[in-house]
Amino acid sequence: MARNLATQMAPPFVLVAHYFIAAAIFYAVSAFLLPFYANEIDGYFLSSSMASLIHLYLLGFVMMTIFGAMYQLIPVVLEIPVFSKDFAYVQFYLFLGGIILFCFGLGVDKYMAVVPYGAMMIYLSMLIFVANIFLTYKNLERFDIVAKYIFASNVFLFIGSSVGFFMALNLLYGFYPDLMSLAKIHIATTIFGYVIMSIMGVAMVLLPMFSLSHGYSQQKIKWAFYAIITGLSVLLVAELFHVSELFYTGVALSAFAMLLAILQMFDIFRARIRRQNDFWAKNMIASFFTLLTCIVVFFVGIFSSEQKYFILFGFLFFFGFLLFFIVGHIYKILPFLVWYQRFSPLVGKMKVPMLNQMIKEKQADVQFFITFVGMALGCVGIIFTSYLTFAIASVIMGIGTLLVIDNIYFTLTFKPKKEATNAQ
Amino acid sequence: MLNEHSVIEAIKTVIDPEVGFDIYSLGLIYGVAVEDSHVSVTMTLSTRGCPLHELIQTWTREAVERLDGVESCEVTIVWEPAWNITMASEEVKKALGA
């Protein structure tokens, strides 16, 4: 019965819009700040100012988008309604306030004391989200590979956010000396455990849906699931018990899982019926190509022990892989949400716009090109430690951001042309 | 006059807003049966997790029920045989680059 209720079970548009609009604002702020971090490209990747920008981008843009998208996608991919929409609203406001406090405290030294308060709000918001997801799973009928990914990713989110909260308290009270181990566990569980696993799971629904792919095997993504769970678990044990050999085993297994996921996405793309390389397809190809590059760069960093490769890895991962994946899907999901809210009741009564008319397609193409050039130039800046090159690259990427924001505004306020609204 | 042809013409007014083609040309309609004033439509969707699932089903039913002589229309979604591009019209295949 649940199978044909995907849209009835979906949350109200206004809920998802909260998350998406806040995410767009955080994206714009992060892009604006990026050029000011040019002189940190040869710095320490765990510095508090760097942590401020990374959290602003990761929590404010990436995770805000993922949370909003999850509330919309869970009824579609799991075919069950989200347990509580009220929880989602409470979570949003706690998360929003928490991010502002937390990042402000990390970024401005004299306000460092507010960091634990911001962290507490973020932690509470994440607990609400995780509880909401787990309670949703009580009604799950089909525990397929996508359901497994989303479930496991939320277990990692719980661990990662708990460690993050502990780190924030530790920052102020200093009761635990091994900050590096905590940071590694926090990064592994939140970025690879939550963000990557969520993307791997939902990509198995979104990519075939938007590219009309059929007839491919899911074997690689299934192996990837067990590889990443094992890899991250080994990594946690290695850090908790300080066994460095195990750490590299965990890293290798996690990287192997990501390689399998990339190959799976390649299989889906090979089987696609929709062959046009539109702005979505370009973003997806760039996203997974960048993820592959990230894996290579990470291992170069491990073997060379040069800090700049970890900075390069982070830059490519955040402003390449995640950015392309999220922006590509915002261009697809947002028009659908607006269309569903405003135009679906008019179907059969009036001529309604198509989804592709609700995005400035040419602008999306230009934005993709600009962002890609900016990202590539940013990599050059980091590799050759050129502050100026990196600052120019950041400005170019900022132009790309403005184009994304303009397109989001266009979709949210979309007005069909007169001829498109004439009665049929 | 109500017959399979008129029902199909009505179904052709239902457009998938994502792909931009009507659901008949996409090959999503597997069968149409007219029995007096009752119409049964058997159809599929291009993907199982389609967020438009329930809407497309409703639009199809409403489009058929707007025809003169139709008292009721039942739309059944099936997943076997699974949809593939060979079921679509040549125009759709060409437009999608298939």
Side-chain angles (χ1 to χ4, degrees):
Chain A
M1 184 199 83
R3 215 166 293 289
N4 63 354
L5 291 172
T7 42
Q8 278 179 1
M9 290 188 296
F13 170 69
V14 68
L15 168 65
V16 183
H18 270 67
Y19 283 89
F20 278 15
I21 291 169
I25 294 168
F26 279 119
Y27 173 36
V29 175
S30 308
F32 173 77
L33 291 174
L34 190 61
F36 298 102
Y37 283 76
N39 59 356
E40 296 219 23
I41 57 174
D42 59 346
Y44 180 48
F45 79 106
L46 284 180
S47 71
S48 64
S49 62
M50 187 75 99
S52 170
L53 177 69
I54 288 171
H55 282 90
L56 191 71
Y57 184 82
L58 186 69
L59 294 171
F61 172 54
V62 176
M63 292 182 83
M64 190 71 90
T65 309
I66 292 178
F67 289 151
M70 278 295 174
Y71 284 125
Q72 180 67 32
L73 289 175
I74 277 177
V76 175
V77 300
L78 302 183
E79 298 165 358
I80 45 171
V82 171
F83 175 75
S84 167
K85 292 170 184 79
D86 294 337
F87 277 17
Y89 282 108
V90 176
Q91 183 212 342
F92 172 78
Y93 287 107
L94 269 173
F95 195 46
L96 180 69
I99 294 168
I100 294 168
L101 266 187
F102 183 77
C103 294
F104 184 70
L106 275 179
V108 184
D109 277 350
K110 65 176 178 175
Y111 294 108
M112 190 70 95
V114 301
V115 169
Y117 299 101
M120 187 171 65
M121 289 170 75
I122 293 168
Y123 185 48
L124 279 176
S125 74
M126 294 212 176
L127 289 182
I128 292 170
F129 179 76
V130 170
N132 211 358
I133 297 296
F134 288 159
L135 289 166
T136 299
Y137 266 70
K138 274 172 57 180
N139 300 318
L140 189 70
E141 290 171 12
R142 219 166 36 134
F143 203 64
D144 61 11
I145 190 66
V146 178
K148 284 179 186 167
Y149 266 102
I150 294 175
F151 186 86
S153 71
N154 279 279
V155 172
F156 282 117
L157 179 63
F158 172 70
I159 299 169
S161 54
S162 301
V163 173
F165 182 49
F166 183 77
M167 284 176 76
L169 293 179
N170 194 45
L171 193 71
L172 205 62
Y173 303 110
F175 44 76
Y176 189 82
D178 191 1
L179 185 67
M180 184 52 94
S181 271
L182 287 179
K184 283 181 183 170
I185 293 172
H186 180 58
I187 291 168
T189 47
T190 51
I191 296 177
F192 298 99
Y194 182 69
V195 175
I196 280 277
M197 286 192 76
S198 296
I199 287 178
M200 282 159 81
V202 297
M204 286 305 293
V205 175
L206 296 176
L207 263 67
M209 188 164 78
F210 291 132
S211 61
L212 293 177
S213 296
H214 293 271
Y216 52 87
S217 160
Q218 292 196 345
Q219 214 52 45
K220 293 187 182 81
I221 203 74
K222 288 177 181 168
W223 292 339
F225 177 76
Y226 296 107
I228 198 162
I229 294 272
T230 313
L232 291 173
S233 305
V234 167
L235 222 146
L236 293 192
V237 170
E239 282 310 310
L240 283 173
F241 300 102
H242 301 98
V243 191
S244 59
E245 298 81 9
L246 272 184
F247 175 80
Y248 292 110
T249 309
V251 167
L253 270 170
S254 305
F256 176 63
M258 280 185 269
L259 276 176
L260 283 173
I262 294 166
L263 289 173
Q264 177 72 70
M265 300 311 148
F266 179 67
D267 284 353
I268 293 174
F269 254 68
R270 260 198 330 192
R272 72 189 163 136
I273 289 165
R274 230 174 168 173
R275 292 270 165 192
Q276 309 109 313
N277 279 326
D278 63 358
F279 51 87
W280 174 81
K282 283 176 194 160
N283 272 291
M284 289 312 105
I285 293 165
S287 174
F288 287 102
F289 170 76
T290 313
L291 181 60
L292 185 64
T293 314
C294 280
I295 296 170
V296 175
V297 168
F298 189 79
F299 280 100
V300 171
I302 285 181
F303 289 115
S304 69
S305 298
E306 281 192 60
Q307 187 75 19
K308 70 177 177 186
Y309 288 109
F310 294 109
I311 299 271
L312 180 61
F313 165 80
F315 177 71
L316 274 171
F317 190 87
F318 289 120
F319 295 96
F321 165 61
L322 290 177
L323 185 59
F324 289 127
F325 189 86
I326 291 173
V327 168
H329 281 103
I330 284 176
Y331 287 151
K332 283 282 185 187
I333 295 172
L334 196 62
F336 170 73
L337 294 178
V338 175
W339 185 93
Y340 180 68
Q341 170 80 7
R342 289 179 46 201
F343 299 110
S344 70
L346 303 174
V347 170
K349 300 172 189 127
M350 298 176 82
K351 192 169 182 183
V352 294
M354 294 291 112
L355 295 181
N356 62 354
Q357 293 174 307
M358 298 178 67
I359 276 284
K360 296 181 196 170
E361 291 186 282
K362 272 234 164 76
Q363 184 169 313
D365 266 332
V366 171
Q367 172 271 320
F368 168 77
F369 178 74
I370 287 176
T371 305
F372 195 87
V373 168
M375 182 196 74
L377 197 62
C379 292
V380 172
I382 294 170
I383 291 169
F384 295 103
T385 321
S386 165
Y387 305 140
L388 180 65
T389 308
F390 187 82
I392 292 169
S394 309
V395 172
I396 292 172
M397 291 188 80
I399 295 168
T401 307
L402 289 177
L403 295 176
V404 175
I405 301 292
D406 177 67
N407 233 333
I408 289 174
Y409 181 76
F410 175 78
T411 304
L412 287 172
T413 59
F414 181 76
K415 289 180 187 71
K417 285 177 187 160
K418 268 230 163 114
E419 62 269 26
T421 53
N422 290 338
Q424 279 178 323
Chain B
M1 186 191 153
L2 180 64
N3 54 33
E4 281 187 21
H5 177 74
S6 60
V7 171
I8 287 169
E9 287 306 309
I11 288 172
K12 280 184 180 174
T13 63
V14 179
I15 311 285
D16 180 333
E18 163 66 18
V19 187
F21 285 100
D22 72 83
I23 58 172
Y24 185 81
S25 301
L26 281 166
L28 300 177
I29 303 300
Y30 284 174
V32 170
V34 181
E35 203 174 308
D36 301 327
S37 59
H38 178 75
V39 178
S40 303
V41 177
T42 307
M43 64 176 292
T44 192
L45 295 170
S46 58
T47 182
R48 207 180 167 104
C50 177
L52 289 170
H53 184 140
E54 167 230 334
L55 276 180
I56 289 180
Q57 199 173 6
T58 307
W59 297 336
T60 308
R61 182 175 49 74
E62 287 176 353
V64 175
E65 284 178 349
R66 274 196 290 272
L67 286 171
D68 286 339
V70 175
E71 273 185 20
S72 64
C73 172
E74 186 184 22
V75 179
T76 309
I77 303 270
V78 295
W79 300 109
E80 291 295 336
W83 178 84
N84 66 69
I85 191 63
T86 60
M87 297 170 179
S89 70
E90 288 306 315
E91 188 196 357
V92 171
K93 286 180 201 165
K94 197 175 162 195
L96 293 177

